[in-house]
Amino acid sequence: DAEVSTRKKTFTEVQTEHLDQAERTVLIKCPPKLNEKKLLQYLSSHGNVESHFFFENHGINALVEFSEKSSIASLQDAVRIPNAVEHHVVPFKSRLFTFTLKNPVSQPAEETPLHLSPQCHIPVKDLIQKLCLADSISSQMYMLLNEYQLTEENIKLRFLACSLVRDFARAYFPDSTVKPFGSSVNTFGKLGCDVDMFLDFHDTRKHATKVKKGPFEMEFQMKRLPSERLATQRILSVLGDCLDNFGPGCVSVQKILHARCPLVKFSHQPTGFQCDLSVSNSIAMRSSELLYIYGCLDSRVRALVFTIRCWARVHGLTNSAPGTWITNFSLTMMVMFFLQKRSPRIIPTLDQLKELADAKDKHIIGGYDCSFVSDLRKIKPTKNTETLDVLLGEFFEYFGNFDFRRNSINLRKGKEVNKPESSPLYIWNPFEQDLNISKNVNQPQLEKFIATARESAWILQKEDKTQRLINKEPWGLAALLIPFGKSNSSKMNRMKGIGSETIRSLLDSLRLNNANSQQKAVGK
């Protein structure tokens, strides 16, 4: 443990630690007039409280982590089942409790106000005001990162949501676990993002390797189905019904079983999260670990990703609803590719990470090689010293002039390669190399991205910070987080300039085509 604490933890170590904490955690809905000291005194009678925090979600709630799992059993034994006056209750004893005061009027209110952990980020207009007080664009980008990134408390709440779903899953599959993946664990999640979770039977498969060899064999009798997909659909259908009918605070349950990746969507009211539950999504977990490694290697990586994603959202380049726009995952991969292209590289290519992998890092999933090094100490730090100010401007320059017609983005190689097919934007899936993760993006959305990147590069190059401060106008990153249509007319003129350049090039090409066709007609 001492050795682990002196270095950056591996992705697996962090996940294991959080999953263990979640199993020792309860969630308590509290009354408005709460005496924190008395609540903790009561809870301590069941065991040592390791940590706790309060947050706002339809009233005050407390997340409480005990040192021992046995403390939860002790607490559950002392808790009563609610009176069924108006509704009949489903007698499922979860780790969600309601703490009430018997005589609230006589109870003194808390002398010091409770500290409430934030569960959502500040609005963009408030962020812009804060950014204007920074002394450089780099400082602005780190400020944005600090405002938007998941807090340790919020991460604990996410793992608890998964652990509460796991309590249901274990009624059917005692060896299963429910793990978060994607933005909740890859270090790129922002406050308020959904919780992607998957039901994992990996521990069941591990058990199979422990069976002793001898002159005989024993195996479980299990239901056999014609395909893994059908098994996944059946499992999710039953769990979806279970959450819908018996899960405290699980509402708006939707079973989307015929999607490419079947899932159950639901809203988890006690934690306030929108959740997506799938089954054994191993490749998605490898993608989460890859991004975790990139995020840990250099502080500039996360600051640039959070900045670009916020910028894209403000300008309508990304959207939380599915559609033809660029997704956050695609955008993050574009940032990673850009950082691989710097000289010297800021982050290594996936092939370079694969070369550093040892036997325990080998992962072949569904025929795809998903191997890469997990120990961060084996990856040499970059010698690149470019500031975030420079990197932000260069990102817009690079993609504002990228040849999207011919080239695709490949993180394995860290270089542009010819497009294998004609999608407007082609980003190779890092592991499933026959998939384009940006196949949904259409030409108008890509053109909008290019135009906005060019405009942003122009603003960063031409802006006079001192003059803007005198005029009390947003500067640097703050100026980029105002939709261009809503800002001053000079910006609009520049956008028109870009538009007119595009129109001019179109007219030139039309003239050229017309001249060519006339020549052909003369030739005939």
Side-chain angles (χ1 to χ4, degrees):
D1 286 352
E3 183 265 327
V4 168
S5 64
T6 58
R7 62 170 169 81
K8 279 185 176 170
K9 293 173 184 172
T10 66
F11 179 77
T12 306
E13 285 166 351
V14 173
Q15 302 319 299
T16 304
E17 187 180 299
H18 278 127
L19 287 165
D20 178 56
Q21 285 174 341
E23 291 203 7
R24 295 181 276 108
T25 300
V26 298
L27 192 61
I28 303 169
K29 194 162 184 58
C30 302
K33 288 185 177 180
L34 174 69
N35 188 305
E36 182 179 356
K37 195 175 175 183
K38 284 190 176 177
L39 172 65
L40 292 174
Q41 263 177 350
Y42 169 70
L43 294 171
S44 297
S45 68
H46 296 283
N48 182 55
V49 173
E50 184 84 13
S51 70
H52 75 284
F53 67 87
F54 295 95
F55 66 97
E56 170 71 42
N57 176 34
H58 303 293
I60 294 169
N61 298 266
L63 181 143
V64 180
E65 180 197 338
F66 286 103
S67 300
E68 301 291 334
K69 208 172 165 182
S70 57
S71 302
I72 294 176
S74 169
L75 179 61
Q76 283 173 324
D77 286 343
V79 172
R80 69 178 181 85
I81 289 172
N83 291 327
V85 180
E86 291 180 27
H87 304 97
H88 186 76
V89 294
V90 176
F92 174 72
K93 295 179 180 178
S94 72
R95 288 177 282 147
L96 299 167
F97 307 106
T98 302
F99 182 72
T100 53
L101 302 169
K102 288 182 179 175
N103 299 305
V105 179
S106 63
Q107 296 280 348
E110 183 70 69
E111 289 173 18
T112 54
L114 289 172
H115 170 70
L116 298 175
S117 173
Q119 301 304 309
C120 58
H121 59 77
I122 61 172
V124 173
K125 60 180 174 53
D126 296 345
L127 176 68
I128 288 169
Q129 289 179 348
K130 275 195 167 190
L131 296 181
C132 291
L133 304 174
D135 58 3
S136 67
I137 291 175
S138 291
S139 300
Q140 288 180 328
M141 290 169 74
Y142 281 121
M143 197 179 275
L144 182 148
L145 172 64
N146 287 328
E147 289 291 343
Y148 274 56
Q149 68 184 347
L150 299 182
T151 61
E152 186 59 31
E153 290 87 354
N154 190 268
I155 291 169
K156 283 185 176 183
L157 199 56
R158 288 166 183 272
F159 274 86
L160 176 61
C162 294
S163 188
L164 293 169
V165 173
R166 185 222 61 182
D167 290 348
F168 276 105
R170 284 199 173 173
Y172 297 96
F173 311 107
D175 295 325
S176 65
T177 54
V178 175
K179 297 175 180 176
F181 69 95
S183 53
S184 294
V185 295
N186 65 19
T187 75
F188 294 96
K190 75 177 174 82
L191 285 169
C193 67
D194 294 354
V195 179
D196 294 312
M197 56 177 80
F198 74 96
L199 181 65
D200 190 21
F201 300 107
H202 193 61
D203 292 344
T204 316
R205 290 196 290 275
K206 271 187 196 166
H207 171 76
T209 61
K210 292 180 188 173
V211 177
K212 289 179 181 177
K213 289 177 182 175
F216 58 84
E217 278 188 343
M218 288 276 279
E219 64 179 22
F220 289 103
Q221 292 185 24
M222 291 181 168
K223 186 89 172 177
R224 294 175 189 273
L225 294 169
S227 70
E228 185 183 3
R229 181 176 173 83
L230 183 60
T232 296
Q233 289 170 330
R234 294 264 181 97
I235 290 165
L236 286 174
S237 181
V238 170
L239 282 179
D241 286 341
C242 203
L243 292 170
D244 199 12
N245 291 308
F246 310 131
C250 293
V251 299
S252 306
V253 179
Q254 287 178 276
K255 296 189 288 184
I256 306 167
L257 304 178
H258 297 287
R260 192 175 78 87
C261 179
L263 65 126
V264 173
K265 291 178 89 72
F266 64 97
S267 178
H268 193 252
Q269 286 182 329
T271 56
F273 294 128
Q274 296 297 318
C275 304
D276 287 357
L277 172 66
S278 52
V279 172
S280 295
N281 209 333
S282 304
I283 288 183
M285 205 59 166
R286 295 301 285 162
S287 293
S288 302
E289 181 167 0
L290 178 65
L291 286 176
Y292 171 85
I293 287 170
Y294 283 149
C296 288
L297 287 178
D298 193 295
S299 63
R300 292 171 293 179
V301 177
R302 292 176 65 239
L304 185 58
V305 168
F306 273 78
T307 297
I308 295 299
R309 294 204 323 200
C310 184
W311 163 84
R313 200 164 48 254
V314 163
H315 294 289
L317 302 173
T318 57
N319 196 304
S320 56
T324 57
W325 28 75
I326 299 171
T327 64
N328 271 332
F329 183 59
S330 292
L331 203 54
T332 303
M333 289 298 167
M334 290 170 82
V335 176
M336 297 304 159
F337 182 73
F338 164 75
L339 294 173
Q340 289 175 343
K341 292 285 293 175
R342 303 309 293 161
S343 184
R345 292 186 199 276
I346 293 177
I347 57 171
T349 67
L350 184 49
D351 278 349
Q352 288 171 330
L353 292 178
K354 185 184 167 184
E355 284 169 19
L356 297 170
D358 56 25
K360 72 176 186 328
D361 295 322
K362 295 290 178 194
H363 286 82
I364 309 294
I365 303 167
Y368 297 104
D369 190 347
C370 303
S371 308
F372 55 84
V373 67
S374 59
D375 188 344
L376 290 152
R377 292 172 299 181
K378 292 183 180 178
I379 307 167
K380 286 181 182 174
T382 179
K383 290 189 168 70
N384 184 302
T385 57
E386 289 174 300
T387 64
L388 279 169
D389 304 47
V390 170
L391 291 173
L392 183 62
E394 290 290 324
F395 175 87
F396 294 132
E397 281 281 335
Y398 180 73
F399 282 113
N401 295 292
F402 189 87
D403 188 355
F404 287 103
R405 284 173 302 171
R406 284 204 192 97
N407 294 330
S408 63
I409 291 166
N410 190 318
L411 273 83
R412 274 200 170 273
K413 312 279 180 216
K415 62 183 182 185
E416 303 99 338
V417 293
N418 287 338
K419 272 189 193 179
E421 46 107 332
S422 62
S423 294
L425 175 61
Y426 198 103
I427 304 172
W428 297 72
N429 185 305
F431 303 113
E432 297 172 274
Q433 283 277 283
D434 48 352
L435 293 181
N436 171 15
I437 64 169
S438 54
K439 196 175 177 67
N440 62 302
V441 181
N442 65 13
Q443 192 63 36
Q445 287 296 326
L446 179 61
E447 285 172 7
K448 186 180 176 184
F449 170 82
I450 295 166
T452 314
R454 287 178 181 176
E455 169 67 0
S456 300
W458 199 96
I459 289 168
L460 290 177
Q461 283 172 11
K462 303 294 179 189
E463 107 171 341
D464 182 343
K465 179 186 169 184
T466 312
Q467 190 58 47
R468 282 189 166 274
L469 286 171
I470 292 166
N471 296 345
K472 295 185 178 177
E473 290 178 349
W475 63 276
L477 175 56
L480 299 184
L481 297 184
I482 300 166
F484 295 149
K486 292 180 182 176
S487 50
N488 62 47
S489 58
S490 64
K491 285 183 186 173
M492 283 303 291
N493 290 336
R494 289 199 294 277
M495 285 299 278
K496 283 175 189 169
I498 287 171
S500 57
E501 283 169 28
T502 310
I503 291 163
R504 267 200 301 276
S505 65
L506 280 169
L507 287 170
D508 289 343
S509 67
L510 283 169
R511 284 193 201 102
L512 190 65
N513 288 340
N514 195 31
N516 289 341
S517 59
Q518 281 177 353
Q519 281 176 347
K520 284 175 187 172
V522 170
K524 283 177 185 175

